[in-house]
Amino acid sequence: MNFSSKIIEWYKLNKRDLPWRKTKNPYKIWISEIILQQTQINQGLPYYNKFIIEFPNIFLLARSDEKKILKLWQGLGYYSRARNLHFTAKYIATQLKGVFPKEYDNILKLKGVGEYTAAAIASFAFNKAHAVLDGNVFRVLSRYFNINTPINTSSGKKEFYLLSNKLLDTNEPGTYNQAIMDFGSLQCKPRNPNCKACVLNIDCQSYNSNNQLKLPVKIKPKKKKKIYIDYFYIKNNYFLFLNKRLNQDIWKNLYDFPNIININKPTKVEITKSITEEYGDNFKIIKTSKIYIHNLTHKKIFARFWEIKFENLLNENLKKIEKINFNDLINYPIPRLIDKFLNDEKLIN
């Protein structure tokens, strides 16, 4: 029995019971794959269920307000995925009459869809022979064949791409792709892989050379850039002031507080000066929060929240900020960082 056959046989005995595996509907498979980009299954599953209940078909997703989609997405991070999801839904609903493209090359053209996602949708929904290549697959192949080429280099990606497509079971491409990903997640784990009970251990080159824990090889990324964000938390008895972010960044169209961003931690004197320059001097700093640390792919954010009380809430610059009733906060999409703070302040459930 060859590598692919062993993987598929293992999968039939050990596969996880997941809702998107019980359908060939490309819409539902697409939703699952976009959610699972940068997200583990146990975290993504509740979001998938919420999306399918709220938007059971692509037309309902296309017609939805982006604010509602972002709110459903809240907590998953990488919000461009949600915006791209909405954009693509509208494109398919209007330009393609709701018919999801079947061919890999056409799926790849959809906004927010990369090579892995296109291969997954093409194979799972349409049984097209395109191999998936994600972290689990990299790990299984690098260990089985004892490959030391770094997986996050162009040469490494090319080498593994050719190998993965060579190994693909063209009769059952969808099943094979699901199998090798589950195998990497459940059996050939990053740490503590169960090598002694592995169906591949006889021919696994890294196991037989006791090298499996050193693979896959990955070049270390550059050190994350530190960013300091100081938020101005302004409220009265009924309202909270929130900004809608319009910048082209990861939190576009989410809501947060007015803020200043620095590469070095500012002093209280500098914070006071910034508030004065923006809103005048008729305010008082009530308190400052603890420092909240929030990790992004290339940045590490250190955030503080300054509760500010204004003598006059009719300040011209304050009028530009949206006043939101505390009871309505639950309907506004906010970054996870803001959500943590509001939960700590017991202002949102």
Side-chain angles (χ1 to χ4, degrees):
M1 189 180 289
N2 63 23
F3 174 88
S4 303
S5 300
K6 287 182 180 180
I7 289 284
I8 290 174
E9 286 301 310
W10 175 92
Y11 176 69
K12 289 177 179 178
L13 295 173
N14 297 280
K15 66 180 178 180
R16 288 175 284 192
D17 183 20
L18 299 169
W20 49 84
R21 290 181 175 171
K22 299 174 182 178
T23 180
K24 291 292 185 181
N25 184 332
Y27 168 72
K28 292 182 178 181
I29 292 169
W30 168 62
I31 293 288
S32 73
E33 289 301 328
I34 298 301
I35 287 174
L36 294 177
Q37 290 173 355
Q38 308 291 336
T39 303
Q40 293 185 347
I41 286 177
N42 59 350
Q43 183 189 6
L45 180 56
Y47 284 88
Y48 171 83
N49 289 331
K50 284 192 295 184
F51 261 82
I52 296 304
I53 290 170
E54 193 69 38
F55 309 116
N57 61 64
I58 203 161
F59 296 102
L60 288 173
L61 179 59
R63 289 198 296 266
S64 177
D65 178 61
E66 186 183 88
K67 179 179 169 185
K68 185 176 183 179
I69 295 170
L70 290 172
K71 184 62 184 177
L72 276 177
W73 196 270
Q74 185 175 305
L76 273 179
Y78 300 93
Y79 287 89
S80 61
R81 291 182 293 169
R83 292 190 290 270
N84 290 338
L85 197 75
H86 193 207
F87 179 94
T88 298
K90 289 188 286 186
Y91 169 75
I92 294 174
T94 56
Q95 301 301 312
L96 303 181
K97 304 289 189 290
V99 179
F100 208 97
K102 294 183 179 181
E103 300 300 330
Y104 171 86
D105 290 341
N106 292 329
I107 298 171
L108 188 59
K109 292 176 183 177
L110 300 175
K111 192 169 184 179
V113 172
E115 292 177 350
Y116 160 78
T117 304
I121 296 169
S123 63
F124 302 160
F126 305 112
N127 208 39
K128 302 290 185 180
H130 296 278
V132 297
L133 194 54
D134 72 347
N136 291 310
V137 179
F138 275 122
R139 186 165 58 256
V140 173
L141 296 183
S142 67
R143 286 174 173 174
Y144 186 80
F145 293 98
N146 203 27
I147 300 172
N148 290 283
T149 311
I151 64 174
N152 56 343
T153 61
S154 56
S155 59
K157 290 175 182 177
K158 182 178 180 180
E159 181 177 353
F160 281 95
Y161 173 81
L162 293 172
L163 177 60
S164 62
N165 277 285
K166 180 181 178 181
L167 294 169
L168 179 69
D169 187 315
T170 54
N171 293 318
E172 298 182 86
T175 301
Y176 170 79
N177 281 336
Q178 295 278 20
I180 194 169
M181 288 192 293
D182 256 18
F183 190 85
S185 179
L186 302 176
Q187 179 75 35
C188 194
K189 299 178 181 180
R191 299 177 184 84
N192 302 316
N194 191 10
C195 295
K196 290 183 179 179
C198 179
V199 297
L200 299 177
N201 61 15
I202 293 175
D203 297 311
C204 179
Q205 295 180 35
S206 70
Y207 174 65
N208 290 317
S209 59
N210 198 28
N211 192 46
Q212 67 271 36
L213 295 181
K214 297 177 182 178
L215 297 171
V217 175
K218 194 172 185 180
I219 295 174
K220 289 185 178 180
K222 294 179 181 178
K223 197 173 181 180
K224 288 186 178 182
K225 184 179 179 181
K226 291 182 179 180
I227 298 292
Y228 295 86
I229 304 180
D230 287 278
Y231 288 103
F232 306 144
Y233 169 52
I234 307 163
K235 66 175 181 176
N236 64 14
N237 292 331
Y238 306 102
F239 295 96
L240 192 64
F241 288 80
L242 287 179
N243 264 331
K244 183 176 183 180
R245 298 179 64 91
L246 300 176
N247 296 331
Q248 295 293 329
D249 62 18
I250 58 168
W251 291 336
K252 180 185 175 185
N253 292 340
L254 302 187
Y255 288 77
D256 67 359
F257 300 115
N259 60 78
I260 57 171
I261 300 175
N262 292 280
I263 58 172
N264 296 303
K265 183 179 178 182
T267 64
K268 185 174 181 179
V269 171
E270 291 170 324
I271 293 295
T272 303
K273 182 180 177 183
S274 294
I275 301 172
T276 302
E277 289 174 351
E278 188 71 21
Y279 303 106
D281 58 4
N282 65 338
F283 68 90
K284 183 165 57 175
I285 295 176
I286 306 300
K287 64 179 180 180
T288 310
S289 75
K290 67 179 182 181
I291 293 177
Y292 288 76
I293 298 175
H294 188 70
N295 283 296
L296 300 174
T297 305
H298 302 296
K299 296 177 184 177
K300 189 171 187 177
I301 295 174
F302 296 83
R304 293 179 294 183
F305 295 82
W306 302 75
E307 184 175 344
I308 310 296
K309 183 175 181 180
F310 282 87
E311 294 177 17
N312 177 16
L313 288 175
L314 297 178
N315 181 296
E316 286 301 317
N317 281 341
L318 282 179
K319 289 180 181 178
K320 299 175 185 177
I321 308 170
E322 192 167 345
K323 287 198 303 181
I324 298 171
N325 189 292
F326 288 127
N327 294 329
D328 293 332
L329 277 174
I330 196 169
N331 298 317
Y332 284 77
I334 54 179
R336 178 65 180 142
L337 179 58
I338 305 298
D339 185 56
K340 285 180 183 177
F341 172 73
L342 290 176
N343 273 287
D344 287 348
E345 292 291 310
K346 296 181 170 53
L347 291 175
I348 196 169
N349 295 319

